Amino acid sequence: MKNKILALISIITLLALGSCGEDFLYKAPKGSLDQTALANANGIELLVTNTYANLTEQAWGASIFNWTLSGMYGGDANKGSDNSDQSVLNEMEIYSTSATNSYLNDKWSWIYRGVKRANIALQTMDMCEDLDPSVAAIRKGELYFLRSMFYFEGLRVFGGYIPYFNETELENDPKIHNDRDIYSDVLADVDVAINNLPETPSEVGRVYKWAAKALKAKIYMMQGNMSAAKPLLEDVVNNGKTATGKKYALADAITDNWDSFKDNTSPESIWEVQFSADGNNNGNSGLALCYPHNTGPGGCCGFYQPSFDLANSYQVDDNGLPYLNNEYRTKPTVDIINENVGGKLPDGSDDNRISTVNTAVTVDPRIDIALGRFEVPYKDWGLPDRPWVRDVANGGIYMPKKHVYSKAESDAGLARAGMYDGWAPGSAMNVQYLSVRDAMLQLAECYADEGNLSGAMELVNKIRERAGKPANQVAGSPAKYKVSTYPSSHAAFTDKATCIKAVRFERKLELGMEGERGFDLFRWGGDYMSQELRGYVDYEKNYIGKFNGAATLNPAKTMFPVPQNQIDAMGNDENGQPYLVQPAPWK
């Protein structure tokens, strides 16, 4: 399935021209396929695969990884690179985003392109007479899943008030108002997927019933409906199986989830977006900027640099527990800026360390899985070198790490520099869009919210117990590692507010640099979001000057603005009213 999805050349352009109007205007050009020609079993397979292919066809703003719209925006990282490159992101990282931001338009366009592909496939399926009914049901389930997933991406970026249209809309360019909340429509779609999909897919890479249940739970969590999410999450966590039939569990080594050699094999993989190093720009183009710079793995482009705040969040107290009230912001940092950089070491060699590890500070070992630090081995590439960071003044001292390929992957032909468009790096490493670690911590949130504090902390402790396994400590690191589970005497077991803090902080640590942080802050409420981001900015500006100009994000802005390009393109209805209206906080 991975190769089928990624090797497919898009055939949808002609189909998107529409199915209305005078027939003589729609004579198919030579060498093209029209909808009627695809109304057969083989054609349906092509159209379903083409819908999957939208997952990999990402502009940087449309990245399925959401490194800008959630990872950067949520404080896991800053833009990185230098001030002038992709300057459109400068406004976003200091919380002064405008509706004309091109990354927002990229995301919107990607969402509705995916929806359109799913709808065309479903319309064509209704015309098909030779498709086995049992296969048709499964393919319908896949298309409904994908459509609901594309809409879900819209919900968490732009909020609930975005246009919804399905396969019953036959206009090529439907004009639909964004005047109602579409959560119920998206949830109904994913229900169709659940009812039609098999327990295990025919091919790894296709969606299946457990993935649909996990997606539905995630939609409910974004909506704020924890009581509806809880039974789904319990079912997934306790009874679910991977696409290959393994019972869901946490892998001993966290890095198993970020390794092309182990794609689709981790017991905590619920559903992965498939990528390939096949030479056709299928190596996750949405992340093509987000590799260490210059002589580092990939050689370009130094974006998505982890924040000082995220790095220091991994500090632990004497008991190996995190600082739930952000006390780390008042303590010595985990790394010390090297004042001798560019000088000489005692042995006469060049000192290329931008920073040195502060061995007096004890840290959770997940720090060196989530981000790259000087003096700590970077996967199997050896120690980071000074050119790996493009501009310290603009991006700080840290490097992304989880999604960056290893030397072994590169040597095996699974990744390379210059893979995307001939200049940017890429790899065959999949992205776990739905994972057991995420589902477990969502379930812990549900338990904490309803007052089942011991149930919540049991799940948090399972995550922390895994983090403490020897496989998650970087060999050769000078760091002092310690991570412990919460004892039953801890306040998190008896005080609801403390329990909620512990669960939320665990998500920050476990899912750091995975593109979830900003969306978590959105769904936890505007006041909380605004307060957390203000604390992040106030800490970060001690190290990176651009944050001195950062705004305090309005608590009402738990979504991004509708792209102005889309408002202009949709125009007005017959009564002169715009089809797309900007949410009130962004007017």
Side-chain angles (χ1 to χ4, degrees), residues 237-385:
V237 170
N238 297 327
N239 305 312
K241 294 182 180 179
T242 70
T244 57
K246 294 180 184 176
K247 180 174 174 52
Y248 287 146
L250 295 173
D252 285 346
I254 297 171
T255 52
D256 283 359
N257 301 299
W258 304 94
D259 185 340
S260 303
F261 292 114
K262 298 181 179 179
D263 282 347
N264 302 307
T265 64
S266 170
E268 64 190 278
S269 172
I270 296 178
W271 180 56
E272 299 181 14
V273 177
Q274 308 290 305
F275 291 101
S276 168
D278 64 359
N280 294 312
N281 288 341
N282 291 318
N284 201 343
S285 57
L287 274 171
L289 299 178
C290 305
Y291 291 79
H293 192 49
N294 202 304
T295 57
C300 185
C301 293
F303 284 76
Y304 198 38
Q305 287 186 245
S307 65
F308 284 89
D309 186 77
L310 177 64
N312 283 283
S313 296
Y314 289 99
Q315 292 192 43
V316 295
D317 63 19
D318 292 340
N319 297 313
L321 298 175
Y323 293 107
L324 299 183
N325 295 308
N326 299 324
E327 296 94 334
Y328 63 87
R329 291 175 179 160
T330 66
K331 295 182 178 296
T333 57
V334 295
D335 293 279
I336 302 168
I337 303 296
N338 182 20
E339 301 294 341
N340 187 48
V341 64
K344 297 291 183 181
L345 292 169
D347 63 4
S349 60
D350 293 335
D351 188 354
N352 287 330
R353 302 168 303 169
I354 289 175
S355 60
T356 59
V357 172
N358 188 349
T359 56
V361 176
T362 307
V363 293
D364 184 319
R366 286 175 290 184
I367 185 175
D368 291 322
I369 292 172
L371 52 95
R373 297 197 288 164
F374 285 86
E375 294 197 314
V376 177
Y378 191 100
K379 298 194 173 182
D380 57 354
W381 292 98
L383 296 177
D385 199 10

Side-chain angles (χ1 to χ4, degrees), residues 145-329:
F145 176 99
L146 291 170
R147 187 171 72 195
S148 62
M149 192 228 78
F150 293 132
Y151 275 126
F152 172 58
E153 285 290 296
L155 293 172
R156 57 184 189 166
V157 173
F158 299 107
Y161 286 79
I162 59 175
Y164 175 87
F165 69 102
N166 59 23
E167 70 274 19
T168 64
E169 176 56 69
L170 301 180
E171 291 289 336
N172 173 55
D173 185 19
K175 303 296 186 184
I176 299 171
H177 290 273
N178 66 329
D179 56 357
R180 66 181 185 87
D181 188 315
I182 70 164
Y183 266 100
S184 60
D185 301 280
V186 180
L187 288 164
D189 274 358
V190 81
D191 277 339
V192 175
I194 291 170
N195 292 333
N196 282 272
L197 288 171
E199 292 272 332
T200 54
S202 59
E203 297 173 282
V204 172
R206 291 187 185 272
V207 296
Y208 59 112
K209 192 180 296 289
W210 290 110
K213 288 183 177 183
L215 177 62
K216 186 178 182 183
K218 205 167 174 73
I219 295 170
Y220 273 134
M221 292 297 286
M222 196 71 209
Q223 189 185 31
N225 191 347
M226 292 191 193
S227 60
K230 189 187 81 167
L232 282 164
L233 290 166
E234 287 178 325
D235 192 18
V236 168
V237 170
N238 297 327
N239 305 312
K241 294 182 180 179
T242 70
T244 57
K246 294 180 184 176
K247 180 174 174 52
Y248 287 146
L250 295 173
D252 285 346
I254 297 171
T255 52
D256 283 359
N257 301 299
W258 304 94
D259 185 340
S260 303
F261 292 114
K262 298 181 179 179
D263 282 347
N264 302 307
T265 64
S266 170
E268 64 190 278
S269 172
I270 296 178
W271 180 56
E272 299 181 14
V273 177
Q274 308 290 305
F275 291 101
S276 168
D278 64 359
N280 294 312
N281 288 341
N282 291 318
N284 201 343
S285 57
L287 274 171
L289 299 178
C290 305
Y291 291 79
H293 192 49
N294 202 304
T295 57
C300 185
C301 293
F303 284 76
Y304 198 38
Q305 287 186 245
S307 65
F308 284 89
D309 186 77
L310 177 64
N312 283 283
S313 296
Y314 289 99
Q315 292 192 43
V316 295
D317 63 19
D318 292 340
N319 297 313
L321 298 175
Y323 293 107
L324 299 183
N325 295 308
N326 299 324
E327 296 94 334
Y328 63 87
R329 291 175 179 160

